[in-house]
Amino acid sequence: MKKQIKISGTPVRKIQVGSPAIILEGELTRQTSIVISIYAESKSKLVFETQNTVYFLEYPNQKNTGRLLSGGKALIRKLTAFHTGGCRS
């Protein structure tokens, strides 16, 4: 039986079969081995299997973290623009 891990974090990109998952867990980044199956997905949870492990991923409560985790590349552009003196959306 494979190792099973319960984690709380936000995927950097969509988790898909055939690619490793990259998940932000607070200030840490976890990269998994190749995803081989996705078993269940909802707005708050995702269960997937990699070559080595079965992950039970819970997304952080968006109400407590604000919009910081949901911005992706747009957020990085806004933060970069803010720190360089100009802000474009």
Side-chain angles (χ1 to χ4, degrees):
M1 183 169 198
K2 286 188 180 181
K3 178 171 54 171
Q4 298 180 2
I5 298 178
K6 182 178 178 182
I7 59 175
S8 178
T10 304
V12 171
R13 62 177 185 251
K14 181 174 174 61
I15 294 176
Q16 57 189 24
V17 173
S19 298
I22 302 172
I23 301 164
L24 294 175
E25 297 177 74
E27 294 182 12
L28 302 175
T29 302
R30 176 189 304 258
Q31 180 171 337
T32 70
S33 57
I34 304 262
V35 175
I36 60 172
S37 188
I38 297 174
Y39 295 118
E41 187 171 14
S42 71
K43 290 183 180 181
S44 62
K45 297 179 183 179
L46 177 68
V47 180
F48 65 98
E49 180 179 3
T50 67
Q51 293 172 329
N52 304 312
T53 307
V54 176
Y55 288 91
F56 298 84
L57 172 62
E58 291 187 6
Y59 304 129
N61 184 344
Q62 294 294 323
K63 291 180 184 175
N64 292 337
T65 58
R67 299 175 141 234
L68 184 61
L69 296 177
S70 64
K73 291 181 181 177
L75 175 65
I76 292 169
R77 284 194 303 269
K78 286 181 181 179
L79 289 175
T80 301
F82 175 78
H83 290 292
T84 58
C87 188
R88 290 183 281 165
S89 294

Short mmCIF file of all heavy atoms in Angstrom, two decimals, residues 9 12 15 18 20 25-26 30 35-36 40 42 46-47 49 54 56 63-66 72 74 77 84-85 88:
data_model
loop_
_atom_site.label_atom_id
_atom_site.label_comp_id
_atom_site.label_asym_id
_atom_site.label_seq_id
_atom_site.Cartn_x
_atom_site.Cartn_y
_atom_site.Cartn_z
N GLY A 9 -2.95 23.17 1.13
CA GLY A 9 -2.16 24.04 0.25
C GLY A 9 -2.91 24.43 -1.00
O GLY A 9 -4.07 24.06 -1.19
N VAL A 12 -0.02 25.34 -7.66
CA VAL A 12 0.55 26.43 -8.46
C VAL A 12 -0.11 26.44 -9.84
O VAL A 12 -0.35 27.50 -10.41
CB VAL A 12 2.08 26.27 -8.58
CG1 VAL A 12 2.67 27.26 -9.57
CG2 VAL A 12 2.72 26.44 -7.21
N ILE A 15 -3.64 20.54 -11.37
CA ILE A 15 -3.06 19.21 -11.18
C ILE A 15 -3.65 18.29 -12.24
O ILE A 15 -4.88 18.20 -12.38
CB ILE A 15 -3.34 18.70 -9.75
CG1 ILE A 15 -2.59 19.59 -8.75
CG2 ILE A 15 -2.93 17.23 -9.61
CD1 ILE A 15 -2.84 19.27 -7.31
N GLY A 18 -0.05 12.81 -15.58
CA GLY A 18 1.10 12.87 -16.47
C GLY A 18 2.13 13.91 -16.10
O GLY A 18 3.21 13.95 -16.69
N PRO A 20 3.99 16.29 -12.67
CA PRO A 20 4.08 16.42 -11.22
C PRO A 20 3.17 17.55 -10.73
O PRO A 20 2.92 18.50 -11.47
CB PRO A 20 5.55 16.76 -10.97
CG PRO A 20 6.16 17.04 -12.28
CD PRO A 20 5.21 16.63 -13.35
N GLU A 25 2.42 25.29 0.24
CA GLU A 25 1.97 25.00 1.59
C GLU A 25 2.54 26.08 2.50
O GLU A 25 3.66 25.96 2.98
CB GLU A 25 2.45 23.62 2.04
CG GLU A 25 1.90 22.49 1.21
CD GLU A 25 2.48 21.17 1.67
OE1 GLU A 25 2.07 20.68 2.74
OE2 GLU A 25 3.35 20.63 0.96
N GLY A 26 1.77 27.15 2.69
CA GLY A 26 2.30 28.29 3.43
C GLY A 26 3.45 28.90 2.66
O GLY A 26 3.29 29.31 1.52
N ARG A 30 5.85 22.21 -2.45
CA ARG A 30 6.02 20.76 -2.56
C ARG A 30 5.83 20.38 -4.03
O ARG A 30 4.85 20.75 -4.65
CB ARG A 30 4.96 20.04 -1.73
CG ARG A 30 5.01 18.52 -1.86
CD ARG A 30 3.81 17.86 -1.21
NE ARG A 30 3.65 18.21 0.18
CZ ARG A 30 4.01 17.44 1.21
NH1 ARG A 30 4.55 16.26 0.98
NH2 ARG A 30 3.81 17.84 2.44
N VAL A 35 1.75 12.58 -11.39
CA VAL A 35 0.38 12.23 -11.02
C VAL A 35 -0.11 11.12 -11.95
O VAL A 35 0.01 11.24 -13.18
CB VAL A 35 -0.56 13.46 -11.11
CG1 VAL A 35 -2.00 13.07 -10.85
CG2 VAL A 35 -0.10 14.55 -10.14
N ILE A 36 -0.62 10.04 -11.37
CA ILE A 36 -1.12 8.93 -12.20
C ILE A 36 -2.63 8.81 -12.17
O ILE A 36 -3.21 8.17 -13.04
CB ILE A 36 -0.46 7.59 -11.82
CG1 ILE A 36 -0.73 7.22 -10.37
CG2 ILE A 36 1.02 7.62 -12.10
CD1 ILE A 36 -0.27 5.82 -10.00
N ALA A 40 -10.94 12.34 -6.69
CA ALA A 40 -12.08 13.17 -6.29
C ALA A 40 -11.64 14.62 -6.28
O ALA A 40 -10.50 14.94 -5.95
CB ALA A 40 -12.57 12.76 -4.91
N SER A 42 -13.35 18.72 -5.47
CA SER A 42 -14.43 19.64 -5.13
C SER A 42 -13.81 21.02 -5.00
O SER A 42 -12.62 21.20 -5.25
CB SER A 42 -15.11 19.22 -3.82
OG SER A 42 -14.25 19.46 -2.72
N LEU A 46 -9.08 17.86 -2.95
CA LEU A 46 -8.65 17.09 -4.12
C LEU A 46 -7.93 15.85 -3.61
O LEU A 46 -7.07 15.94 -2.73
CB LEU A 46 -7.71 17.92 -4.99
CG LEU A 46 -7.12 17.25 -6.22
CD1 LEU A 46 -8.23 16.98 -7.25
CD2 LEU A 46 -6.04 18.10 -6.84
N VAL A 47 -8.29 14.70 -4.15
CA VAL A 47 -7.61 13.46 -3.82
C VAL A 47 -6.97 12.95 -5.10
O VAL A 47 -7.65 12.76 -6.11
CB VAL A 47 -8.59 12.40 -3.25
CG1 VAL A 47 -7.84 11.11 -2.92
CG2 VAL A 47 -9.32 12.93 -2.04
N GLU A 49 -3.37 10.57 -6.81
CA GLU A 49 -2.31 9.61 -6.58
C GLU A 49 -1.14 9.91 -7.49
O GLU A 49 -1.31 10.19 -8.68
CB GLU A 49 -2.83 8.20 -6.85
CG GLU A 49 -1.81 7.11 -6.64
CD GLU A 49 -2.37 5.71 -6.90
OE1 GLU A 49 -3.54 5.59 -7.29
OE2 GLU A 49 -1.60 4.75 -6.72
N VAL A 54 -0.45 8.74 -2.18
CA VAL A 54 -1.82 9.21 -2.36
C VAL A 54 -1.96 10.47 -1.51
O VAL A 54 -1.66 10.45 -0.31
CB VAL A 54 -2.87 8.16 -1.94
CG1 VAL A 54 -4.28 8.74 -2.04
CG2 VAL A 54 -2.74 6.91 -2.79
N PHE A 56 -4.26 13.71 -0.03
CA PHE A 56 -5.55 14.28 0.32
C PHE A 56 -5.29 15.77 0.53
O PHE A 56 -4.85 16.18 1.60
CB PHE A 56 -6.11 13.62 1.59
CG PHE A 56 -6.34 12.15 1.43
CD1 PHE A 56 -5.31 11.23 1.63
CD2 PHE A 56 -7.59 11.67 1.06
CE1 PHE A 56 -5.52 9.87 1.48
CE2 PHE A 56 -7.81 10.31 0.90
CZ PHE A 56 -6.77 9.40 1.12
N LYS A 63 -11.59 32.71 2.84
CA LYS A 63 -12.05 33.84 3.65
C LYS A 63 -10.96 34.30 4.59
O LYS A 63 -10.83 35.48 4.87
CB LYS A 63 -13.30 33.44 4.44
CG LYS A 63 -14.50 33.23 3.56
CD LYS A 63 -15.70 32.85 4.39
CE LYS A 63 -16.87 32.54 3.47
NZ LYS A 63 -18.03 32.06 4.21
N ASN A 64 -10.15 33.37 5.10
CA ASN A 64 -9.10 33.74 6.04
C ASN A 64 -7.85 34.26 5.37
O ASN A 64 -7.09 35.00 5.96
CB ASN A 64 -8.73 32.54 6.93
CG ASN A 64 -9.86 32.17 7.85
OD1 ASN A 64 -10.71 32.97 8.15
ND2 ASN A 64 -9.85 30.93 8.31
N THR A 65 -7.60 33.87 4.13
CA THR A 65 -6.35 34.25 3.48
C THR A 65 -6.53 35.40 2.49
O THR A 65 -5.58 35.86 1.91
CB THR A 65 -5.75 33.06 2.71
OG1 THR A 65 -6.70 32.60 1.76
CG2 THR A 65 -5.38 31.94 3.66
N GLY A 66 -7.75 35.85 2.28
CA GLY A 66 -7.98 36.93 1.33
C GLY A 66 -7.79 36.45 -0.09
O GLY A 66 -7.94 35.28 -0.38
N GLY A 72 -2.55 34.12 -8.81
CA GLY A 72 -1.65 33.52 -9.79
C GLY A 72 -0.73 34.53 -10.44
O GLY A 72 -0.20 35.42 -9.79
N ALA A 74 -1.41 36.98 -12.44
CA ALA A 74 -1.91 38.36 -12.37
C ALA A 74 -1.47 39.01 -11.07
O ALA A 74 -1.09 40.18 -11.04
CB ALA A 74 -3.43 38.38 -12.50
N ARG A 77 2.17 40.00 -11.35
CA ARG A 77 2.32 41.21 -12.16
C ARG A 77 1.95 42.45 -11.35
O ARG A 77 2.64 43.46 -11.40
CB ARG A 77 1.46 41.12 -13.42
CG ARG A 77 2.03 40.21 -14.49
CD ARG A 77 1.34 40.41 -15.83
NE ARG A 77 -0.09 40.20 -15.76
CZ ARG A 77 -0.69 39.03 -15.97
NH1 ARG A 77 0.02 37.97 -16.26
NH2 ARG A 77 -2.00 38.93 -15.90
N THR A 84 7.58 48.51 -8.43
CA THR A 84 8.39 49.28 -9.37
C THR A 84 7.77 50.64 -9.67
O THR A 84 8.29 51.39 -10.48
CB THR A 84 8.58 48.51 -10.69
OG1 THR A 84 7.31 48.20 -11.25
CG2 THR A 84 9.38 47.24 -10.46
N GLY A 85 6.63 50.94 -9.05
CA GLY A 85 6.06 52.28 -9.18
C GLY A 85 4.87 52.41 -10.12
O GLY A 85 4.29 53.47 -10.20
N ARG A 88 -0.64 48.17 -13.35
CA ARG A 88 -1.60 47.90 -14.42
C ARG A 88 -2.29 46.59 -14.12
O ARG A 88 -1.65 45.63 -13.70
CB ARG A 88 -0.89 47.79 -15.77
CG ARG A 88 -0.36 49.11 -16.24
CD ARG A 88 0.27 48.95 -17.59
NE ARG A 88 1.60 48.36 -17.37
CZ ARG A 88 2.32 47.81 -18.30
NH1 ARG A 88 1.88 47.74 -19.53
NH2 ARG A 88 3.50 47.30 -18.04
#
